[in-house]
Amino acid sequence: MNTFAICSLTVKDILPESFTQYFLFKEKNILVGLLDIPKTNYKNKVYRDSVVVKIKAFSCNFRDRVFFLLFHQKCIDLSKDKKLYYSPFGSDFVAEVIECGKNVKKFAVGDRVIPNASYPYRLGSKKIGGIPTNYASQRIHVFDKNQLIKVPFSMSDEIASSFTITAQTAYSIIRKLHLKPKENILITAPSSNISLALIRILQNKNVNIYALASSLSHQEDLLKLGVSYVFLVSDLINKEKIFELTKGNLFNAIFDPFYNVYMEKVIPFVAMNGRYITCGLEPMRNPQTKISDMAMIMEHCMINNISLIGNCLGTTADLQTALNDFETKKFDILIDSVYNENDILMFLQKSFGIKERLGKVVYKYLD
């Protein structure tokens, strides 16, 4: 059974017929391959509330870049003992149900499912929730029944394998922002997957959408998606231009996926009683905001009654709302490209930003 994974250096000796390539990432040569792994024996792992699935397609998120490097280092360490070690990776997927525990009533063999990353708790329990796996490329998984949700028949595997983390997070953010008609909304890093999803949701709201980018390479696409104007970071020096384009109202809400990159720059442009919300940071970049800068940020927020909001993933209700909106064509996920078989290097280069993309990048198994 083909499995796309990070490999220990011994794989070439032990599995010489496997397709492998070196992926240069963050100055590290990382061996990756499409391995023929024997089918997992899961019979003794099917508990009462368990669901066994076979992965059909998967995709990576920004967080997976950090795990990718960690898993690579583990492979290197274990190679020293001449062991065959491989590490799957990835956090979004679509899978087919192949077996259910006796207490599982909401799924049946043959159903297509995606992860339910409900946070902070799993649906219907006090167990800590969150992303069900960091190894989505592994072909066979056993999950608790509350870690999965069915997808509509109309949703393709490409969309389904890209859906959960982006949609669940985006709908949680929208819920927390309490948007009002005619408000000005600024989206930073607009080519990131979560920002693209928010732009798509905001198309159905009576609001004005603006974007803040480091370049204008995607300006035309963003305007077609409903963005009124794309600012460059350098435009923030000219406050009069911001006032002119927002008709003197600044931004009622700002969504920023990378607070360690943009927060310091955009907080001065949040309107009185406005909201700033973030769901993450750029993990490969050192913090830029000093303690003295944070004091100025907090002072500005207090004087202007600005709410600072943190967001991690979303609830099951957020994910279900996203699925409902997909079925009524109010929401979807922008797909950049789909790869399969030996196209592993291009998949990684696009997924991790080495080659330019706009939307999710999917790897789809053919077996």
Side-chain angles (χ1 to χ4, degrees):
M1 183 180 294
N2 281 339
T3 299
F4 186 178
I6 306 164
C7 305
S8 63
L9 300 179
T10 54
V11 72
K12 288 189 171 184
D13 298 323
I14 300 173
L15 297 175
E17 295 183 1
S18 295
F19 177 80
T20 59
Q21 287 184 311
Y22 279 99
F23 170 48
L24 182 61
F25 182 54
K26 297 298 176 181
E27 300 180 347
K28 296 180 183 294
N29 256 331
I30 300 175
L31 185 64
V32 293
L34 196 61
L35 312 179
D36 186 10
I37 303 298
K39 189 174 181 180
T40 305
N41 181 8
Y42 54 83
K43 293 297 181 183
N44 61 343
K45 298 180 181 179
V46 186
Y47 304 114
R48 295 180 302 175
D49 296 312
S50 296
V51 181
V52 184
V53 302
K54 179 180 178 182
I55 301 297
K56 296 166 68 69
F58 75 97
S59 65
C60 294
N61 292 279
F62 210 80
R63 63 189 296 280
D64 292 308
R65 302 199 309 170
V66 175
F67 287 108
F68 196 85
L69 291 172
L70 291 175
F71 298 159
H72 163 65
Q73 188 57 52
K74 191 170 184 180
C75 285
I76 292 296
D77 293 341
L78 289 173
S79 291
K80 297 172 184 176
D81 296 327
K82 304 299 181 183
K83 294 179 180 177
L84 172 61
Y85 184 86
Y86 67 94
S87 177
F89 61 97
S91 47
D92 259 321
F93 64 83
V94 61
E96 179 183 352
V97 174
I98 58 177
E99 189 159 340
C100 296
K102 65 179 182 180
N103 285 356
V104 177
K105 307 300 180 186
K106 59 183 178 180
F107 301 116
V109 172
D111 284 344
R112 288 188 313 140
V113 294
I114 58 175
N116 179 358
S118 178
Y119 186 82
Y121 301 108
R122 293 185 198 173
L123 175 66
S125 76
K126 293 185 179 179
K127 293 182 180 178
I128 295 298
I131 297 168
T133 184
N134 297 314
Y135 307 98
S137 69
Q138 179 177 304
R139 300 305 304 280
I140 303 295
H141 284 265
V142 181
F143 292 112
D144 180 89
K145 63 184 180 182
N146 291 322
Q147 292 180 297
L148 300 169
I149 193 168
K150 277 197 288 191
V151 296
F153 178 78
S154 59
M155 182 180 286
S156 68
D157 285 344
E158 291 80 3
I159 294 288
S161 64
S162 309
F163 200 83
T164 295
I165 294 175
T166 297
Q168 203 156 17
T169 303
Y171 274 81
S172 176
I173 288 166
I174 292 295
R175 171 170 52 82
K176 291 178 180 179
L177 282 177
H178 300 291
L179 298 173
K180 299 172 185 174
K182 305 295 184 183
E183 285 193 319
N184 293 330
I185 315 300
L186 179 67
I187 308 291
T188 71
S191 63
S192 70
N193 291 316
I194 183 64
S195 292
L196 288 169
L198 282 166
I199 291 169
R200 180 66 181 92
I201 299 170
L202 291 173
Q203 289 176 350
N204 296 309
K205 311 288 184 183
N206 185 17
V207 296
N208 305 309
I209 311 168
Y210 299 89
L212 177 67
S214 57
S215 78
L216 296 178
S217 59
H218 295 301
Q219 178 179 243
E220 186 176 340
D221 294 305
L222 292 168
L223 294 176
K224 288 178 181 177
L225 290 172
V227 173
S228 298
Y229 191 86
V230 181
F231 294 99
L232 286 171
V233 173
S234 57
D235 291 333
L236 298 179
I237 298 173
N238 186 354
K239 202 165 186 176
E240 290 183 1
K241 181 177 182 179
I242 308 294
F243 270 108
E244 180 183 349
L245 289 167
T246 61
K247 299 179 181 178
N249 295 322
L250 295 180
F251 303 107
N252 305 102
I254 293 181
F255 167 68
D256 179 9
F258 308 123
Y259 74 82
N260 61 330
V261 178
Y262 294 101
M263 183 181 188
E264 177 189 352
K265 301 178 178 68
V266 300
I267 282 291
F269 299 94
V270 183
M272 178 74 74
N273 296 314
R275 292 87 73 203
Y276 167 94
I277 190 166
T278 184
C279 67
L281 73 162
E282 162 54 279
M284 301 297 181
R285 186 178 299 198
N286 293 326
Q288 296 180 325
T289 304
K290 302 174 184 177
I291 293 177
S292 57
D293 296 327
M294 184 56 68
M296 293 176 62
I297 288 171
M298 293 308 299
E299 181 179 352
H300 181 78
C301 290
M302 288 184 289
I303 291 171
N304 292 281
N305 284 328
I306 294 169
S307 298
L308 299 178
I309 308 169
N311 187 86
C312 184
L313 298 168
T315 64
T316 298
D318 293 321
L319 181 56
Q320 188 61 63
T321 300
L323 289 167
N324 294 343
D325 281 355
F326 173 83
E327 288 197 273
T328 57
K329 302 188 184 306
K330 294 179 181 177
F331 177 71
D332 55 21
I333 298 289
L334 185 63
I335 301 296
D336 176 275
S337 47
V338 181
Y339 297 99
N340 51 52
E341 296 188 315
N342 292 344
D343 289 332
I344 58 177
L345 202 58
M346 185 62 77
F347 168 81
L348 291 171
Q349 289 172 340
K350 281 212 165 186
S351 293
F352 294 148
I354 295 170
K355 292 188 179 292
E356 194 162 297
R357 58 151 185 83
L358 188 67
K360 290 281 286 186
V361 182
V362 175
Y363 186 86
K364 193 172 181 179
Y365 288 113
L366 299 182
D367 63 334

